[in-house]
Amino acid sequence: NSLREGLLCRVKTPSIDSFDKVTIVGAGMVGVACANAILFQKISSHVAIVDAFPKKLEGEGMDYCHSSVFLDDPYVEYDTDFCVSSNSKVVIITAGARQIKGETRLELVQKNVNIIKNIVPPLVQYSPNAVFLVVTNPVDILSWVTWKVSGLPYNRIIGSGCHLDSARLRSLISERLGVASKCVNAFIIGEHGDNQVPLWSGVNVAGVLFRDIMPTIGLEMDQEGWSELITDNVKAGATVRCLKGYSNTAIGLTAADITRDILRNCPAVKSVSTMIQGHHGIHHEMFLSLPCTLGENGVSQVIRMRITEHEKNLFQKSAEIVYNIQKGLKI
Ligand code: 6V0
C-alpha cells in the first residue's frame, strides 16, 4: 500500500475543470506581473502561462509552486505548447518585444504584428469562447489585428488601452489634491500612448466638475499648469522603463482589474480599447479607447460620452495617426 492509499480513501477523481481559467501568453516582465496581480488578488484559481522559452516557464512555474501555501493552492500550468491554454475564459496577450530607448509604441508595430498573427489562431482554436485581452504594444493596433486574425466578434477583443493612462492621471491628480486616487473620476480616451486624449471636461471629485471651478483647466491658458500632468502621463511608461528597465506593476494590475470584471460578469466602466467605428465621427474599422461596460462577453456597451468639440478633434487626430499606420500593415 502506498502512503497515498493508506492516507486517502478515494471517493471520486477530483475534477480539474475550472470556471475561471486565465491564460497569459508571454512570461516576460508584463506577463509575470499580470499573473502575480491575478493570483495574489485571487481573481482566478487557474492560470496557464505560455512562452517561447521553456526554461523561463519552468522557473516561473517553480516559483508559483513555492507560493501555493500563501495563495490557496491555485492551479498554475505552463508550456510552450498552446494546448495548455485550452478552455480559458480570458486570454491575456503580453508576448512581444518591448520598446527600446527612443522607440515609440507605434514603431514597435511590425515585429509584434507578426507575433500576434502566429499566436492568435491556436489560442482561438483551444479557447473558442474566451475573451481576449491584448496588452502588447502598440495595443490599439494589435487589438485590431487580434480581432481580424481571430475571426471573433469584436466585443470579445479588448485592449488594455487607456485604463492604465486613466489610472496614472487619477494618481497624479490625487497627489496634487490630497484626495484618494480612486475618488478622482477622470477618463483618458483615444490612443494608449503619445496621442492620448484627457477628458478634462468631465474630471470631477464627488460630482464636482473641475471645469466648473476652473473653466480653462487642461487647456493652453490654464494658469495652474494642470495640462503638465498630461505631459507627464504621456512620458510615464518611458520614464519608468528608463529608471527600472521595464514597466510592469501598474499594467499587471490594470490587466487583472479588467480580467476580474470579465470573470465576475461585472459591468464596470473602464476606458479600454474597442472598435470605435461610428463613435465621435470615426468611419474606419479600428480600435481605440472609450469608456465601456465590461462583462463575460467582453465589451457590452460603449458609453456615449458628452465631449467638447476640442476633445472630439483630439480624438479624431489620435485616430488618424493610428489609422495611418494601421492601413499600411499586411495582416
Ligand atoms: P519581455 O520581458 O521581453 O517579455 C516578452 C515575452 O514574450 C518574452 O518572455 C518572450 O519570450 C515572449 N514571447 C515573444 N514571442 C513569443 C511567442 N511567439 N510566443 C510566446 N511567447 C513569446 O517584455 P515585457 O513583458 O516587458 O513587455 C511585453 C509587452 O507589453 C511589450 O510589447 C510592451 O511594450 C507591452 N507593454 C504594454 C503596456 C500597456 O499599457 N499596454 C505597458 C507596459 C508594457
Side-chain angles (χ1 to χ4, degrees):
N1 254 9
S2 68
L3 174 75
R4 183 175 181 155
E5 282 167 1
L7 177 71
L8 303 167
C9 171
R10 174 149 294 188
V11 177
K12 198 166 185 328
T13 308
S15 161
I16 54 160
D17 283 351
S18 49
F19 53 93
D20 63 356
K21 179 170 176 179
V22 176
T23 285
I24 298 166
V25 189
M29 290 303 178
V30 172
V32 170
C34 291
N36 287 349
I38 288 169
L39 291 167
F40 295 0
Q41 297 179 96
K42 303 191 180 148
I43 289 169
S44 167
S45 60
H46 187 174
V47 170
I49 309 176
V50 184
D51 196 280
F53 288 101
K55 274 195 174 169
K56 168 82 172 136
L57 282 173
E58 204 181 333
E60 294 297 348
M62 280 178 77
D63 227 350
Y64 286 122
C65 184
H66 304 159
S67 313
S68 63
V69 166
F70 311 108
L71 297 176
D72 291 344
D73 296 88
Y75 183 25
V76 180
E77 301 176 272
Y78 54 88
D79 210 309
T80 52
D81 191 314
F82 288 100
C83 68
V84 76
S85 69
S86 65
N87 291 322
S88 293
K89 295 285 186 295
V90 181
V91 174
I92 305 177
I93 298 177
T94 76
R98 71 171 87 115
Q99 286 153 267
I100 49 175
K101 200 164 183 239
E103 191 179 37
T104 68
R105 286 178 184 83
L106 294 177
E107 283 163 355
L108 261 187
V109 70
Q110 198 55 56
K111 278 185 247 177
N112 287 345
V113 165
N114 296 339
I115 291 175
I116 296 285
K117 271 166 59 182
N118 286 328
I119 67 177
V120 169
L123 288 165
V124 174
Q125 193 194 327
Y126 283 113
S127 300
N129 300 315
V131 173
F132 285 72
L133 173 57
V134 180
V135 173
T136 307
N137 273 322
V139 64
D140 301 297
I141 291 180
L142 296 185
S143 301
W144 173 79
V145 173
T146 300
W147 171 53
K148 282 295 190 199
V149 174
S150 69
L152 296 173
Y154 66 76
N155 57 288
R156 286 216 271 130
I157 315 298
I158 300 175
S160 61
C162 290
H163 190 35
L164 173 58
D165 309 77
S166 302
R168 283 174 173 155
L169 178 61
R170 291 165 75 192
S171 75
L172 291 174
I173 294 173
S174 147
E175 277 174 16
R176 276 207 185 184
L177 295 179
V179 171
S181 55
K182 69 178 175 189
C183 301
V184 175
N185 303 308
F187 285 96
I188 290 190
I189 63 170
E191 188 211 352
H192 162 64
D194 298 354
N195 304 293
Q196 58 185 259
V197 180
L199 297 183
W200 283 108
S201 63
V203 177
N204 74 84
V205 169
V208 180
L209 288 169
F210 290 13
R211 275 267 156 99
D212 284 349
I213 303 169
M214 184 186 281
T216 57
I217 191 163
L219 302 176
E220 270 169 35
M221 50 286 203
D222 150 15
Q223 284 160 355
E224 286 188 8
W226 287 88
S227 53
E228 285 161 22
L229 299 190
I230 305 305
T231 316
D232 293 348
N233 225 39
V234 166
K235 287 192 292 196
T239 307
V240 173
R241 268 199 316 282
C242 181
L243 291 165
K244 67 178 234 183
Y246 51 88
S247 92
N248 66 339
T249 305
I251 183 60
L253 286 161
T254 300
D257 194 43
I258 296 168
T259 302
R260 183 199 288 113
D261 293 336
I262 299 166
L263 292 176
R264 292 194 188 165
N265 197 22
C266 171
V269 177
K270 312 224 147 122
S271 187
V272 291
S273 199
T274 188
M275 166 74 113
I276 57 152
Q277 192 177 39
H279 292 278
H280 306 293
I282 306 296
H283 305 297
H284 302 301
E285 259 184 7
M286 62 185 299
F287 278 54
L288 283 187
S289 285
L290 282 175
C292 299
T293 60
L294 304 177
E296 63 186 358
N297 295 320
V299 166
S300 37
Q301 296 160 109
V302 179
I303 311 298
R304 296 188 202 274
M305 300 300 281
R306 274 27 181 194
I307 61 178
T308 64
E309 268 312 297
H310 176 64
E311 290 163 343
K312 186 175 166 185
N313 288 339
L314 291 176
F315 184 73
Q316 291 180 346
K317 192 174 142 232
S318 184
E320 198 182 310
I321 292 167
V322 173
Y323 186 72
N324 279 337
I325 293 168
Q326 181 181 300
K327 73 179 182 198
L329 294 173
K330 286 197 181 73
I331 60 159

